[in-house]
C-alpha cells in the first residue's frame, strides 16, 4: 500500500515533535518535517527540510519548491509558533503597532498563506487531503486575569487576536474546499505545562495551580495528548469531519 505523505510545519517544537513521533510510528505515513531547526533524535525515515514560516514574502514560492521535490502532501499539519523576540514582554499596557503588526504577519499571515497554498496543491493533484492547524483555547476564550496575578506570565492580547482569527479561517477554508473533498480542521489546545512561550523560564507554580483548579481533569496537558487527536483527524476514520475546531483542553472551556 502506498504511504501517505505528511508535511508537519514546526515539527521540532514541543507539540510538533510529538506529532512527528506518532506519525512515524505508523508505517503507513511518510513524514517530512518543515522547520528552521533540526532534530538529531529522529530516525532516518523522517525527512527534515529547512523552512522559515515567518518569511511570509516567499512562503508560497518555498512551498512550491518543496512540493516539486517531494510531492504534494496528503496531510498538512501546522503546529508552529512563530513569534518576535519581544513576545514574552508584550501585554495590554505596552502593546504597540509594531509588535501587533509583526506578529500578525509572521504568525497569522503565515498560517493562512501556507494552508491555502497547500489546498491549491491538493486540488491540482486531485488529492482528497487533510489540513490541520494547531490552535488554542484563547482563540475562543478571554484570558483570565486571575491566572496571571503575581506570576511571571502576563496576558498577551496579540495571541488572542491571532488564534481567534484562525478559528474562523478554518471554517472558511473548509467551506471553500469542501467541494474538492479537502478537509480542514483545527485542534483547540488547552494549556501545556512547560516553558513560557518565547522564554526558557518555566511556568510559575501559582499559575499552574490556578490553571489546574479551572480544569475538570485537574491538570495541564502533556504535548503528546495534543498530538494524539491529530492522528484521528488526519485519518480516514475522520472522513466526514471538516470545519471543526476540535477541543483538547481537559474541559477548561466548559466551566
Amino acid at each position: 500500500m502506498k504511504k501517505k505523505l505528511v508535511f508537519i510545519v514546526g515539527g521540532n517544537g514541543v507539540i510538533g515533535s510529538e506529532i512527528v513521533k506518532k506519525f512515524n510510528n505508523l508505517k503507513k505515513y511518510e513524514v517530512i518535517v518543515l522547520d528552521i531547526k533540526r532534530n538529531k533524535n529522529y530516525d532516518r525515515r523522517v525527512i527534515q527540510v529547512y523552512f522559515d514560516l515567518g518569511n511570509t514574502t516567499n512562503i508560497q514560492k518555498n512551498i512550491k519548491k518543496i512540493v516539486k521535490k517531494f510531492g504534494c502532501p496528503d496531510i498538512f499539519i501546522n503546529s508552529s509558533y512563530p513569534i518576535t523576540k519581544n513576545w514574552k514582554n508584550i501585554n495590554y499596557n505596552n502593546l504597540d503597532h509594531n509588535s501587533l503588526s509583526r506578529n500578525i504577519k509572521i504568525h497569522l499571515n503565515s498560517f493562512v498563506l501556507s494552508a491555502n497554498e497547500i489546498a491549491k496543491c491538493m486540488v491540482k493533484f486531485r488529492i482528497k487531503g487533510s489540513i490541520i492547524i494547531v490552535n488554542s483555547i484563547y482563540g475562543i476564550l478571554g484570558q483570565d486575569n486571575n491566572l496571571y496575578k503575581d506570576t511571571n506570565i502576563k496576558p498577551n492580547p496579540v495571541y488572542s487576536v491571532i488564534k481567534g482569527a484562525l478559528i474562523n479561517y478554518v471554517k472558511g477554508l473548509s467551506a471553500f474546499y469542501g467541494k474538492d473533498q479537502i478537509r480542514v480542521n483545527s485542534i483547540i489546545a488547552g494549556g501545556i505545562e512547560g516553558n513560557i512561550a518565547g522564554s526558557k523560564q518555566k511556568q510559575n507554580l501559582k499559575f499552574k495551580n490556578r490553571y489546574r483548579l479551572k480544569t475538570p481533569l485537574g491538570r495541564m496537558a502533556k504535548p503528546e495528548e495534543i498530538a494524539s487527536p491529530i492522528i484521528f483527524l488526519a485519518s480516514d476514520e475522520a472522513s466526514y469531519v471538516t470545519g471543526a475546531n476540535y477541543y483538547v483542553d481537559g474541559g477548561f472551556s466548559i466551566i
Side-chain angles (χ1 to χ4, degrees):
M1 183 177 69
K2 183 182 177 182
K3 291 185 177 182
K4 287 192 173 184
L5 183 61
V6 185
F7 284 4
I8 303 174
V9 182
N12 292 325
V14 175
I15 298 175
S17 58
E18 295 298 328
I19 298 170
V20 171
K21 291 174 188 176
K22 288 184 181 295
F23 273 101
N24 195 43
N25 286 337
L26 299 170
K27 309 301 181 183
K28 60 183 179 179
Y29 297 108
E30 180 181 355
V31 179
I32 296 181
V33 173
L34 308 181
D35 207 320
I36 57 175
K37 301 179 292 184
R38 289 187 65 83
N39 190 326
K40 297 178 181 179
N41 297 321
Y42 291 151
D43 64 40
R44 294 179 180 178
R45 288 182 297 152
V46 177
I47 299 170
Q48 301 189 61
V49 178
Y50 178 84
F51 183 70
D52 183 3
L53 190 69
N55 181 7
T56 52
T57 304
N58 297 312
I59 195 167
Q60 292 161 298
K61 181 175 71 176
N62 290 336
I63 286 176
K64 286 176 181 175
K65 286 181 180 179
I66 295 169
V67 167
K68 185 176 180 180
K69 183 174 181 179
F70 297 101
C72 185
D74 299 280
I75 300 157
F76 179 78
I77 301 162
N78 195 337
S79 64
S80 64
Y81 199 143
I83 53 177
T84 55
K85 290 182 179 180
N86 69 329
W87 178 257
K88 68 182 181 66
N89 297 319
I90 300 172
N91 57 61
Y92 282 90
N93 292 323
N94 65 13
L95 180 64
D96 58 33
H97 177 268
N98 189 49
S99 294
L100 176 64
S101 60
R102 285 178 64 205
N103 280 288
I104 286 176
K105 179 180 179 181
I106 65 172
H107 196 147
L108 175 59
N109 292 4
S110 65
F111 270 61
V112 170
L113 290 170
S114 59
N116 193 62
E117 191 63 33
I118 290 294
K120 291 192 296 181
C121 165
M122 289 175 173
V123 171
K124 179 180 178 180
F125 291 96
R126 297 182 181 180
I127 294 172
K128 298 177 181 179
S130 173
I131 295 172
I132 303 167
I133 288 173
V134 178
N135 208 325
S136 166
I137 51 172
Y138 284 149
I140 52 102
L141 298 175
Q143 294 162 310
D144 186 348
N145 288 326
N146 293 322
L147 290 175
Y148 303 93
K149 188 177 180 181
D150 299 324
T151 73
N152 57 349
I153 315 171
K154 301 295 180 184
N156 188 319
V158 186
Y159 188 73
S160 294
V161 169
I162 292 168
K163 296 305 183 182
L166 287 173
I167 294 286
N168 209 48
Y169 179 63
V170 165
K171 295 177 182 179
L173 197 66
S174 62
F176 186 82
Y177 285 105
K179 64 185 184 300
D180 302 295
Q181 301 302 302
I182 296 170
R183 298 185 297 108
V184 186
N185 297 288
S186 80
I187 293 288
I188 306 297
I192 299 167
E193 189 167 355
N195 289 352
I196 301 170
S199 170
K200 293 182 179 180
Q201 284 184 298
K202 293 289 185 181
Q203 293 155 338
N204 185 281
L205 185 59
K206 285 182 181 179
F207 172 83
K208 291 192 289 186
N209 287 335
R210 290 169 183 163
Y211 189 97
R212 290 166 183 157
L213 291 174
K214 284 178 63 70
T215 309
L217 293 184
R219 60 180 176 84
M220 300 186 80
K222 301 172 185 177
E224 59 268 28
E225 292 176 312
I226 307 300
S228 293
I230 291 175
I231 298 293
F232 165 70
L233 288 177
S235 73
D236 292 337
E237 299 300 317
S239 58
Y240 201 58
V241 180
T242 194
N245 290 294
Y246 199 89
Y247 289 76
V248 188
D249 66 350
F252 185 96
S253 59
I254 65 174
I255 58 174

